[in-house]
Amino acid sequence: PNLTQRGALSHLRVGLAFAQNYGLNPAMARHTATVALLTSGIDARNDRNADQLAARFEKDAEFVNVSGLWWHDRGAIHRAHPDGFDTILSELKITLLEKQVKWIS
């Protein structure tokens, strides 16, 4: 599944503030927050926890899954996941093999 830029940026801002409060330079803080956002999404997915997964998104977030199905807000994202967690995705486990962040600008 793909995170929309809007939902991801909201969580990134919170993570950046947290990291900067602990004295990380801005580039390291941004990297740390981005990796934390990614890994928390993987954890929510692997735990099959729709509440935790949906909580990572803004109220009006957009979500497109790997099949091309599109949901247009946090509530729809939340409602869509339990069925998949219990059926087709029930044995899927995501493993992060490498952490690399590249910024476009």
Side-chain angles (χ1 to χ4, degrees), residues 45-104:
R45 170 61 199 88
N46 286 342
D47 292 342
R48 290 149 182 73
N49 187 328
D51 294 334
Q52 184 183 15
L53 182 66
R56 302 172 66 251
F57 291 90
E58 292 286 330
K59 184 178 179 181
D60 61 346
E62 303 282 330
F63 185 99
V64 181
N65 74 5
V66 296
S67 300
L69 297 175
W70 193 347
W71 297 286
H72 302 284
D73 59 54
R74 183 189 310 136
I77 294 165
H78 182 271
R79 289 187 299 277
H81 280 86
D83 288 339
F85 289 165
D86 292 338
T87 57
I88 194 166
L89 302 173
S90 65
E91 295 185 32
L92 179 69
K93 180 175 169 122
I94 298 171
T95 303
L96 183 61
L97 300 177
E98 183 178 334
K99 300 174 199 169
Q100 184 175 1
V101 178
K102 290 188 178 186
W103 295 95
I104 295 171

Side-chain angles (χ1 to χ4, degrees), residues 12 29-41 96 99-101:
L12 181 58
R30 190 168 65 174
H31 180 272
T32 300
T34 302
V35 170
L37 175 66
L38 175 63
T39 56
S40 70
L96 183 61
K99 300 174 199 169
Q100 184 175 1
V101 178

